[in-house]
């Protein structure tokens, strides 16, 4: 009884303090208005990114001047981002041989080298392939990754050009995430006080999220199973699953590299992040049954929750954020099991039709481990119908997988 009253009170507070509950907000059609505001905010929120480009260039020049010519040139800086160096300022708790930067899963497995099909050199793809995507490094061999470019050089259109274009736009965003946002210098790392770590403080229970004023312990205790509040309140997700990029809640700061370093070395913060993950899985009708490997399966109320997920597509953005956050804050091995779950539900069981495109465009490519991405894409291709509309891997790879499938079928008949 007390929990129900607390949940009701929190829902009223989170809806703006004007006495409107989540239920009233939805019944009067404010949900549609909020979606419009959300879209407008997303446009506005990304404007500073483009204005930050010249400032970032000036900062680079200033640092090079300050170092009296000893600073590396930009190409050397980018190379340093992908190769751990002994004695670097980015070293963290694992000792001098391991860099703070997340493992570069574009060139190696997050769990070590795997001598199997998905590490084979046969997966190399030429840029002339009909479905080659310049923003997708999934098929690049270790040590041969091409310099990333943002030039708009459109390829020849094909009958799959619309679907491929949507994938290409998504791939640009996801590669930017997997490469740690591609720049060793980011404006908000300089603007934010190095001693100010609001996300870490929130996850340690010493700071409330804004603008809602909720502490992490209260959120975990009072909001588990409060599905209406979790659906219609839009300001908590940026605090629960922070990223190095802005979200629609301008009062939720982006992560800095220093804050990520401190978060990864803090057991309490990581345990609370796991609780947040389980809370959102429950909201989507999913349960985590293997914490060591991150394996998930349907919850007992999956049908009801799937219906909600399928009819409220803004949750696709939330899930993409959750996957990115897992890869950034210490749970990269949780990414592939969750993505496989969604691939299985959408492609094999035919559930969640409004989620399927997001699974293929975004969820798969949030996985930092390159071998795991290849494995997920093979599963997707073999279960996708019709196959001639599959655009998420190069034509050469599709032909190779189709041949393997035919060979396996012939062996089975023999």
């Amino acid at each position: 009884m007390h929990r129900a009253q607390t949940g009701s009170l929190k829902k009223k507070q989170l809806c703006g303090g004007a006495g409107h509950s989540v239920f009233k907000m939805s019944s009067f059609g404010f949900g549609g208005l909020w979606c419009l505001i959300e879209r407008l905010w997303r446009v506005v929120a990304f404007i500073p990114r483009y204005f930050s480009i010249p400032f970032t260039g000036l900062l680079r020049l200033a640092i090079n001047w300050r170092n009296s010519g000893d600073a590396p040139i930009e190409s050397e800086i980018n190379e340093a981002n992908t190769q751990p160096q002994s004695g670097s300022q980015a070293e963290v708790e694992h000792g001098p041989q391991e860099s703070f930067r997340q493992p570069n899963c574009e060139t190696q497995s997050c769990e070590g080298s795997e001598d199997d099909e998905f590490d084979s050199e046969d997966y190399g793809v030429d840029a002339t392939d009909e479905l080659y995507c310049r923003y997708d490094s999934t098929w690049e061999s270790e040590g041969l990754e091409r310099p990333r470019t943002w030039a708009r050089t459109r390829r020849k259109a094909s009958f799959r050009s619309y679907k491929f274009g949507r994938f290409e736009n998504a791939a640009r965003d996801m590669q930017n995430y997997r490469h740690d946002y591609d720049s060793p210098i980011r404006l908000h790392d300089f603007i934010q006080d190095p001693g100010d770590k609001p996300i870490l403080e929130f996850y340690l229970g010493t700071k409330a999220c804004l603008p809602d004023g909720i502490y992490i312990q209260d959120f975990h205790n009072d909001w588990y199973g409060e599905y209406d509040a979790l659906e219609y309140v839009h300001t908590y997700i940026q605090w629960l699953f922070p990223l190095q990029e802005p979200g629609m809640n301008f009062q939720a700061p982006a992560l800095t590299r220093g804050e990520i370093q401190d978060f990864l070395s803090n057991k309490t913060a990581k345990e609370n992040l796991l609780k947040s993950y389980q809370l959102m899985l429950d909201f989507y009708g999913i349960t985590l049954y293997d914490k060591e490997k991150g394996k998930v399966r349907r919850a007992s109320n999956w049908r009801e929750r799937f219906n909600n997920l399928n009819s409220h597509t803004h949750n696709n953005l939330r899930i993409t954020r959750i996957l990115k956050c897992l890869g950034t804050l210490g749970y990269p091995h949780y990414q592939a099991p969750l993505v496989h779950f969604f691939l299985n539900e959408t492609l094999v069981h035919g559930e969640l039709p409004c989620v399927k495109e997001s699974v293929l465009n975004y969820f798969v490519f949030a996985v930092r481990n390159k071998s795991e991405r290849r494995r997920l894409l093979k599963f997707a291709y073999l279960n996708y119908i019709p196959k001639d509309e599959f655009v998420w891997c190069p034509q050469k790879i599709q032909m190779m997988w189709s041949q393997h499938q035919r060979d396996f079928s012939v062996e089975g008949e023999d």
Side-chain angles (χ1 to χ4, degrees):
M1 181 68 180
H2 173 70
R3 177 176 173 179
Q5 292 174 345
T6 305
S8 177
L9 176 60
K10 295 293 185 183
K11 284 184 283 186
K12 290 181 180 180
Q13 292 174 340
L14 287 175
C15 287
H20 293 290
S21 69
V22 171
F23 304 104
K24 288 183 180 179
M25 181 175 67
S26 60
S27 64
F28 280 95
F30 290 163
L33 177 60
W34 182 262
C35 290
L36 176 61
I37 294 174
E38 179 179 348
R39 288 179 178 275
L40 291 175
W41 169 249
R42 288 186 179 279
V43 174
V44 174
F46 283 91
I47 291 177
R49 285 191 184 183
Y50 298 98
F51 284 103
S52 68
I53 294 174
F55 290 109
T56 302
L58 292 174
L59 287 169
R60 287 196 181 103
L61 291 175
I63 290 175
N64 287 338
W65 175 80
R66 182 184 63 190
N67 290 337
S68 303
D70 294 331
I73 61 175
E74 182 175 353
S75 62
E76 293 172 337
I77 293 175
N78 289 335
E79 183 178 358
N81 269 348
T82 58
Q83 297 179 359
Q85 296 183 4
S86 178
S88 169
Q89 294 180 354
E91 292 167 358
V92 288
E93 77 270 15
H94 298 292
Q97 296 300 319
E98 185 168 348
S99 170
F100 147 68
R101 181 182 174 82
Q102 292 287 337
N104 185 355
C105 300
E106 296 301 295
T107 57
Q108 60 183 339
S109 170
C110 288
E111 300 178 356
S113 177
E114 296 178 11
D115 186 18
D116 61 9
E117 171 195 353
F118 297 100
D119 288 321
S120 169
E121 293 183 0
D122 293 340
Y123 280 95
V125 176
D126 191 81
T128 59
D129 190 286
E130 179 186 357
L131 295 177
Y132 167 78
C133 176
R134 62 187 177 277
Y135 302 122
D136 178 20
S137 55
T138 301
W139 314 105
E140 294 170 357
S141 301
E142 182 173 354
L144 298 178
E145 187 170 344
R146 292 176 294 278
R148 295 175 292 285
T149 176
W150 311 111
R152 299 295 297 174
T153 54
R154 291 300 302 167
R155 306 175 331 103
K156 181 187 292 186
S158 69
F159 70 99
R160 292 175 280 194
S161 59
Y162 171 73
K163 187 172 289 188
F164 182 83
R166 290 175 60 98
F167 159 55
E168 192 172 45
N169 289 334
R172 177 166 50 183
D173 171 61
M174 303 313 293
Q175 179 169 266
N176 192 32
Y177 151 74
R178 293 196 310 271
H179 287 88
D180 200 23
Y181 299 88
D182 208 39
S183 172
I185 302 173
R186 289 171 301 175
L187 194 60
H188 67 269
D189 282 340
F190 284 81
I191 295 175
Q192 185 168 317
D193 185 341
D196 186 15
K197 297 179 172 60
I199 297 296
L200 180 61
E201 292 171 3
F202 169 69
Y203 260 102
L204 293 179
T206 60
K207 180 182 179 66
C209 65
L210 298 174
D212 308 318
I214 306 296
Y215 287 87
I216 189 67
Q217 300 94 329
D218 295 331
F219 195 92
H220 290 160
N221 293 333
D222 298 337
W223 284 88
Y224 193 97
E226 295 289 347
Y227 298 143
D228 289 295
L230 292 171
E231 180 60 57
Y232 294 109
V233 176
H234 297 268
T235 49
Y236 66 86
I237 196 71
Q238 297 84 7
W239 287 90
L240 286 190
F241 301 97
L243 301 176
Q244 300 175 76
E245 58 187 81
M248 62 164 288
N249 180 3
F250 68 92
Q251 291 184 276
L255 282 168
T256 64
R257 290 178 174 175
E259 194 167 19
I260 294 172
Q261 176 180 346
D262 291 342
F263 196 105
L264 291 173
S265 62
N266 193 292
K267 182 180 179 181
T268 300
K270 291 184 65 176
E271 288 176 349
N272 279 330
L273 177 60
L274 179 57
K275 292 179 182 178
S276 297
Y277 180 55
Q278 291 177 287
L279 182 147
M280 292 305 294
L281 286 180
D282 175 74
F283 174 59
Y284 296 129
I286 308 170
T287 184
L288 176 68
Y289 72 92
D290 187 338
K291 290 184 179 181
E292 180 179 355
K293 297 182 179 179
K295 293 183 178 181
V296 297
R297 61 190 175 200
R298 290 176 175 177
S300 58
N301 61 343
W302 69 272
R303 174 61 66 189
E304 171 198 347
R305 303 316 307 154
F306 275 27
N307 288 339
N308 181 80
L309 176 55
N310 196 58
S311 60
H312 295 83
T313 55
H314 68 95
N315 283 292
N316 296 342
L317 298 173
R318 290 177 169 181
I319 296 170
T320 301
R321 169 177 281 272
I322 290 170
L323 286 165
K324 287 180 176 181
C325 182
L326 291 174
T328 301
L329 294 181
Y331 293 94
H333 56 295
Y334 276 26
Q335 293 178 309
L338 181 60
V339 176
H340 185 273
F341 173 85
F342 279 112
L343 286 172
N344 191 55
E345 292 294 341
T346 55
L347 301 181
V348 178
H349 297 294
E351 301 288 345
L352 304 170
C354 294
V355 181
K356 182 170 73 172
E357 291 294 310
S358 290
V359 176
L360 292 164
N361 282 329
Y362 289 95
F363 297 4
V364 171
F365 295 93
V367 176
R368 300 179 72 97
N369 186 322
K370 181 183 290 187
S371 294
E372 290 293 347
R373 283 206 309 280
R374 292 177 176 181
R375 183 177 285 105
L376 291 166
L377 284 167
K378 181 176 183 179
F379 178 86
Y381 174 72
L382 295 179
N383 290 280
Y384 192 91
I385 299 174
K387 285 184 171 46
D388 60 0
E389 294 183 9
F390 192 89
V391 300
W392 294 277
C393 73
Q395 193 71 38
K396 170 191 172 181
I397 306 299
Q398 296 186 27
M399 294 174 64
M400 183 173 66
W401 285 340
S402 294
Q403 184 61 48
H404 290 172
Q405 190 176 39
R406 286 192 293 269
D407 293 344
F408 182 79
S409 299
V410 170
E411 290 177 3
E413 292 176 359
D414 295 341

